[in-house]
Each structure stands twice: as C-alpha cells, then as structure tokens.
C-alpha cells in the first residue's frame, strides 16, 4: 500500500506534520488509481465510480499518469483510464501543494511495504489555456451540429443526410491561428468512428492542402502494420509507430507538439510520431494556422473534451 500525493499540504511549516490533500491510491485491493482525500474527508472518487479492477500488476512496474487541471483530476494506470473526478468545493480547498510519495508504515497489521519508483516526469499545465469551455462554442466557428454535453465534452452529431468529409465549413474551427504550440485533446469514437485533428490550417476552405491532419479512427481491431491513414497517423506523411487505439467509446488522449518544422504526436501515453515536416510531403504547409476538429459525416458521433493549448514563444 502506498500512494502519490498531489496538491498536498501539512500542518505547520515543515514536512513533519500530517499530510493532507488528494492522494492517488496505490494498492492491491482493486482501488489503485482512485483519488482519496488523505486527512481531507476520505474518498474523492465517488463510491459509485470506484469499481474494483485488476489493472495494477503486483510485483511488476506500473505506469501511472495523473492530470490535475483546474477542478478536475484524471488518472490512468498502464494506459487504461481509471478515475476522472471533478469536484468544485473539495478541489478548491487544495488548489496547489507538493507532490509526495507515500510511506505507509506499519499499522493495523499492515506493512512495512517496499515500493520502488522510477521515471518521475512532470508537465507544467499552468501555461495551458482551455480552448473549449465545456459550456458553449465560444472561440469556435462552425455550421455543423456540434452539441455541448453535460459531461464537459462536445459531441459532433451530423444531421440526417450530412455525409462525407469534404463539408469543411461543418468542421469545428478555432477563431484564432496558432504557430508553435502543444495541443492536448481527448476524444471517444463509436465503433468504426472517423474524424481528425487539423492544425496549422492556413485556409479553412481548403484544409487538406492548406493544413495538417492527425488521424482519428477506430483502429482498435487493426492487426499488423498501420498506415498514415490509421489512428494517430499524419495523413500523407507518417504512420504511427504503434497502434495505441483504445476500444470504441473509451477516451483517447492525443498530445500534438509543433515547434517550427518539428512535429511530435503522443497518443495514450506513447510517442507515435516524430518527424521533420520540412523534409517530407508537408514541407509547403503553413507554419501558422487554425485548429479544427473534423465532422466526417454520418454516422460518426464523436465526443471531444479537455481541449487545451500552450502557445510556445521564442
């Protein structure tokens, strides 16, 4: 038994007091990855959402991925989503604090436990801005049927008869252009779902020739090598180095980093693209442009959420 403390505090000015704050659980009882309020009111992940699971591998290395952004905390274990908690009041009482690795000690017949840690990495999200406010389409432009949902996502639900991917005005387009950036977005597709993340689009009326597309496609059942048209590939440029597709209706997370002509894409925790755009088919594309989410037409009802961007200044 152990845990990862985030945004935590102690009583007094030293680390000698009782730690209190959100803790991402490490345990063998099926509760690993859920968020507990250590000396802060007990479980933060609601009881109804704490379904026992077997994602934590006893005696082996486990990969934890924790995203704390605003009043939302998300946790993945070994690439699988475990907990997604939004709590206005309780998280507001812990807006910031230290990160800590728990020593559980001896108590109630438990411990001591030997826990090993490695590859601790931190990405500062304080300079990221939210592109989708989870309420309306402020900051975006579209003629498509993009519908805000109660789960803070936005759903593309093509109207009856709206088919095909060349309906460019129906895509969800940013009103602002972006040059160098880190774009972080999550999405869930239905079985066979098809969409894409466009970026550096110089002309929203011609995004295929005036921009770049990272493919979104249900490739979860794909066997063998993947192409540039499979999930995570850069259309016309590069195939993903691995098929990291999650099953339909599960959330995928894509992180796109553009610095000059250097493009990197991370999908579900794995870097799958690392290319120099000026050395391939995209060498004539703009270095600045709009960001867009593709409406591929019926029946591609795809949800997007947690769309964030950090502009990189030089």
């Amino acid at each position: 038994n152990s845990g990862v403390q985030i945004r935590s505090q102690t009583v007094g000015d030293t680390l000698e007091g009782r730690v209190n704050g959100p803790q991402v659980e490490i345990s063998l009882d099926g509760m690993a990855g859920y968020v507990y309020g250590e000396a802060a009111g007990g479980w933060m992940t609601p009881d109804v959402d704490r379904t026992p699971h077997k994602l934590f591998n006893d005696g082996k290395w486990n990969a934890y991925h924790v995203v704390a952004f605003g009043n939302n905390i998300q946790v993945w274990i070994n690439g699988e989503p475990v907990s997604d908690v939004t709590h206005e009041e309780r998280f507001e009482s812990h807006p910031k604090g230290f990160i800590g690795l728990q020593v559980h000690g001896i108590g109630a017949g438990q411990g001591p436990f030997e826990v090993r840690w490695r590859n601790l990495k931190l990405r500062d999200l304080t300079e990221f801005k939210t592109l989708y406010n989870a309420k309306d389409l402020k900051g975006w432009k579209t003629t498509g049927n993009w519908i805000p949902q109660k789960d803070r996502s936005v759903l593309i639900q093509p109207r009856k008869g709206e088919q095909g991917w060349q309906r460019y005005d129906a895509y969800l387009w940013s009103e602002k252009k972006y040059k160098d950036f880190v774009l972080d977005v999550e999405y869930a597709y239905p079985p066979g779902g098809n969409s894409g993340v466009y970026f550096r689009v110089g002309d929203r009326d011609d995004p295929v020739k005036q921009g770049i597309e990272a493919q979104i496609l249900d490739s979860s059942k794909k066997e063998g090598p993947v192409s540039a048209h499979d999930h995570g590939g850069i259309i016309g440029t590069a195939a993903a180095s691995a098929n990291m597709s999650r099953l339909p209706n599960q959330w995928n997370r894509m992180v796109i980093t553009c610095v000059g002509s250097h493009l990197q894409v991370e999908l579900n925790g794995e870097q799958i693209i690392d290319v120099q755009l000026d050395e391939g088919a995209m060498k004539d594309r703009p270095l600045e442009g709009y960001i867009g989410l593709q409406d591929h037409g019926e029946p591609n009802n795809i949800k997007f959420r947690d769309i964030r961007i950090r502009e990189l200044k030089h």
Side-chain angles (χ1 to χ4, degrees):
N1 194 308
S2 184
V4 181
Q5 293 290 145
I6 62 173
R7 294 178 172 175
S8 295
Q9 307 290 337
T10 57
V11 177
D13 297 326
T14 71
L15 295 179
E16 298 176 358
R18 174 71 183 272
V19 174
N20 65 90
Q23 179 191 118
V24 180
E25 185 73 4
I26 294 177
S27 63
L28 301 178
D29 59 359
M31 294 292 107
Y34 294 125
V35 183
Y36 182 79
E38 180 70 18
W43 286 108
M44 291 180 168
T45 301
D47 293 347
V48 68
D49 294 333
R50 294 199 321 277
T51 303
H53 61 80
K54 297 181 180 180
L55 297 176
F56 188 91
N57 298 314
D58 185 14
K60 298 180 180 180
W61 287 107
N62 293 270
Y64 270 57
H65 185 75
V66 182
V67 175
F69 191 86
N71 292 320
N72 177 243
I73 295 176
Q74 298 168 281
V75 182
W76 292 257
I77 297 180
N78 299 321
E80 299 289 335
V82 176
S83 186
D84 186 342
V85 188
T86 299
H87 202 305
E88 300 294 334
E89 295 181 2
R90 294 184 69 184
F91 291 168
E92 283 179 356
S93 63
H94 296 277
K96 64 180 181 179
F98 57 74
I99 293 172
L101 309 179
Q102 186 187 44
V103 178
H104 200 277
I106 302 174
Q110 297 181 336
F113 301 104
E114 180 182 279
V115 183
R116 296 172 183 245
W117 310 81
R118 69 180 185 185
N119 297 337
L120 277 70
K121 300 177 182 179
L122 179 66
R123 174 179 289 164
D124 186 357
L125 300 183
T126 57
E127 295 185 12
F128 277 71
K129 295 181 179 179
T130 299
L131 287 184
Y132 171 61
N133 62 19
K135 299 176 182 178
D136 54 42
L137 300 182
K138 182 178 180 180
W140 298 87
K141 178 181 179 180
T142 186
T143 63
N145 194 35
W146 294 82
I147 309 171
Q149 304 293 297
K150 292 183 179 180
D151 64 355
R152 77 174 188 277
S153 70
V154 60
L155 168 70
I156 174 54
Q157 190 171 51
R159 305 174 186 93
K160 187 175 181 179
E162 292 184 332
Q163 298 180 347
W165 56 269
Q166 292 179 304
R167 301 157 32 256
Y168 301 138
D169 59 346
Y171 291 14
L172 188 62
W173 293 109
S174 67
E175 293 182 346
K176 179 181 176 180
K177 289 185 176 182
Y178 296 91
K179 187 176 181 180
D180 291 345
F181 58 82
V182 180
L183 176 65
D184 193 330
V185 58
E186 296 182 27
Y187 50 87
Y189 40 67
N194 193 330
S195 183
V197 179
Y198 280 80
F199 50 97
R200 286 184 171 174
V201 175
D203 183 353
R204 289 177 291 200
D205 293 329
D206 190 13
V208 175
K209 295 182 179 180
Q210 294 293 322
I212 305 169
E213 178 188 359
Q215 175 74 307
I216 293 177
L217 182 69
D218 176 18
S219 301
S220 58
K221 294 183 179 180
K222 172 92 175 187
E223 297 182 358
V226 294
S227 72
H229 283 268
D230 288 308
H231 191 193
I234 303 300
I235 300 295
T237 301
S241 60
N243 186 353
M244 298 302 297
S245 304
R246 297 191 53 75
L247 293 174
N249 301 314
Q250 295 184 352
W251 288 103
N252 295 265
R253 181 167 181 248
M254 181 182 288
V255 181
I256 299 171
T257 302
C258 276
V259 180
S261 295
H262 191 192
L263 170 62
Q264 295 176 301
V265 179
E266 175 187 308
L267 181 57
N268 295 326
E270 182 84 11
Q271 182 172 297
I272 58 169
I273 297 288
D274 190 348
V275 296
Q276 291 292 142
L277 296 172
D278 57 354
E279 297 176 358
M282 299 289 126
K283 60 184 178 182
D284 61 340
R285 301 304 161 96
L287 292 177
E288 182 178 29
Y290 301 102
I291 289 171
L293 305 177
Q294 186 182 52
D295 176 352
H296 207 278
E298 290 185 299
N300 291 286
N301 300 331
I302 296 180
K303 284 184 173 183
F304 293 85
R305 72 177 185 186
D306 296 343
I307 308 169
R308 308 167 182 140
I309 195 167
R310 178 187 176 187
E311 294 186 76
L312 303 176
K313 307 295 184 181
H314 302 287

